[in-house]
Amino acid sequence: MHASSDPATVANKAEREVVLSVRDVRVAFGRNVVLDKLDLDVYRGEILGFVGGSGTGKSVLMRSILRLIPRQKGEIRILGENYDSASEATRIALDMRLGVLFQHGALFSALTVRENIQVPMREYLDLPQKLMDELAELKIDMVGLAPDAADKYPSELSGGMIKRAALARALALDPDLVFLDEPTSGLDPIGAAEFDELIAQLRDTLGLTVYMVTHDLDSLFSVCDRIAVLGQKRVLVDGTIEDMLSFDDEWVQSYFRGKRARMIPQQKQLDAADDRQEGAAT
């Protein structure tokens, strides 16, 4: 049974606002069909983890949604608007409500962190330089970077700092929906956990909706409200971690119950027990 067909889950979804709707999407490169008959909804305020095996097309779907690569079929609706048939003015307005963090940051190497963050501002807004500088400094602080990072170039940043600087740029226009492509890849466990915590905090404080392409099991267990699994060129199942653990599919079970996953639920239980003990002590 598809996890999202559970009556309680369906009722809960019916009450929520869909900010991203993907319907019947097909993407092929020549004769190689990567995605076919793919449907997906993302709801306001959630952190959706999008997972799948290597080469299944996780990043392809994200780039197709953003019109960075063509698709042969399907409809994309963002914030209720058909992204393909919208007027140029409407599409620009929609673009301003989206933020994107690419896997390796994709910062402009010849620009400082401040200047990178200001790229979307210069593209879409007409603001005085002083105001753009103040806004960039605000975003730098928001993602947990030190103020002196503003004048550094990407080559002077650590991997974790690059991720945070790229996130600051993604937040430059105060978006509603943020796309994150493998945000914790290349980070050590401590840095990855801190980045996950940052994403959760920003979601809560800014009211973001987050679409996160990831293979990081820790991220899936710790910050994702819902998970969608890509397989057989479409979304095989979507739902909570509990839905994933009970879904009858060999790859899904291997992914979420495999050797690398076994300690994570146990650690979550230990963390929850610690929280309960601290609460009782206070």
Side-chain angles (χ1 to χ4, degrees):
M1 182 181 73
H2 196 288
S4 63
S5 64
D6 178 77
T9 304
V10 171
N12 183 48
K13 287 182 177 181
E15 299 171 359
R16 304 180 65 183
E17 179 187 354
V18 177
V19 296
L20 171 65
S21 173
V22 178
R23 288 291 177 272
D24 199 25
V25 159
R26 176 186 174 92
V27 178
F29 301 100
R31 295 183 178 180
N32 179 28
V33 179
V34 180
L35 306 173
D36 194 28
K37 300 179 181 178
L38 186 147
D39 295 336
L40 178 67
D41 287 328
V42 181
Y43 301 97
R44 182 172 293 282
E46 76 173 348
I47 299 177
L48 174 80
F50 194 70
V51 304
S54 298
T56 53
K58 300 185 298 296
S59 296
V60 168
L61 177 61
M62 189 190 91
R63 291 171 179 269
S64 178
I65 291 170
L66 296 169
R67 296 172 59 87
L68 297 176
I69 59 175
R71 59 184 181 277
Q72 287 67 49
K73 187 180 179 184
E75 179 183 89
I76 305 294
R77 300 187 73 87
I78 296 177
L79 299 164
E81 297 281 353
N82 187 311
Y83 200 39
D84 295 305
S85 62
S87 66
E88 182 178 1
T90 298
R91 195 175 296 162
I92 290 173
L94 288 174
D95 287 342
M96 292 175 65
R97 299 175 70 179
L98 307 178
V100 185
L101 187 159
F102 294 102
Q103 182 172 355
H104 301 294
L107 296 175
F108 296 103
S109 60
L111 302 180
T112 64
V113 170
R114 177 189 289 107
E115 291 167 340
N116 265 282
I117 296 170
Q118 291 173 350
V119 167
M121 301 179 195
R122 295 185 188 280
E123 182 174 356
Y124 291 105
L125 305 174
D126 183 15
L127 300 175
Q129 184 62 48
K130 182 178 180 182
L131 179 55
M132 286 197 296
D133 288 342
E134 292 173 353
L135 290 172
E137 290 167 7
L138 178 64
K139 304 304 178 184
I140 287 169
D141 179 67
M142 189 180 290
V143 299
L145 286 173
D148 63 0
D151 296 312
K152 295 182 183 295
Y153 289 90
S155 61
E156 301 175 287
L157 305 178
S158 68
M161 292 173 71
I162 287 174
K163 297 279 189 181
R164 289 174 184 260
L167 180 60
R169 185 178 63 186
L171 298 174
L173 300 180
D174 299 323
D176 293 275
L177 174 60
V178 177
F179 293 86
L180 309 178
D181 192 1
E182 301 283 7
T184 59
S185 67
L187 301 182
D188 62 70
I190 294 175
E194 290 176 345
F195 200 87
D196 283 339
E197 184 178 351
L198 173 62
I199 294 301
Q201 289 176 347
L202 291 172
R203 186 275 301 272
D204 293 340
T205 56
L206 302 179
L208 297 174
T209 301
V210 180
Y211 177 110
M212 181 191 299
V213 176
T214 186
H215 66 273
D216 191 327
L217 284 162
D218 290 298
S219 297
L220 295 171
F221 276 95
S222 62
V223 299
C224 291
D225 302 297
R226 193 165 58 92
I227 298 164
V229 178
L230 179 63
Q232 301 173 30
K233 304 174 185 178
R234 58 185 175 83
V235 174
L236 280 177
V237 59
D238 69 273
T240 64
I241 282 288
E242 289 73 20
D243 294 323
M244 302 301 109
L245 295 174
S246 63
F247 186 64
D248 185 16
D249 178 85
E250 183 178 354
W251 188 90
V252 174
Q253 288 300 306
S254 177
Y255 191 88
F256 289 95
R257 291 186 180 273
K259 293 180 179 179
R260 294 178 67 87
R262 286 174 185 164
M263 293 304 294
I264 296 175
Q266 179 181 346
Q267 187 59 52
K268 285 194 71 181
Q269 292 173 5
L270 292 173
D271 291 343
D274 289 342
D275 291 340
R276 287 194 296 269
Q277 290 177 0
E278 290 177 5
T282 56

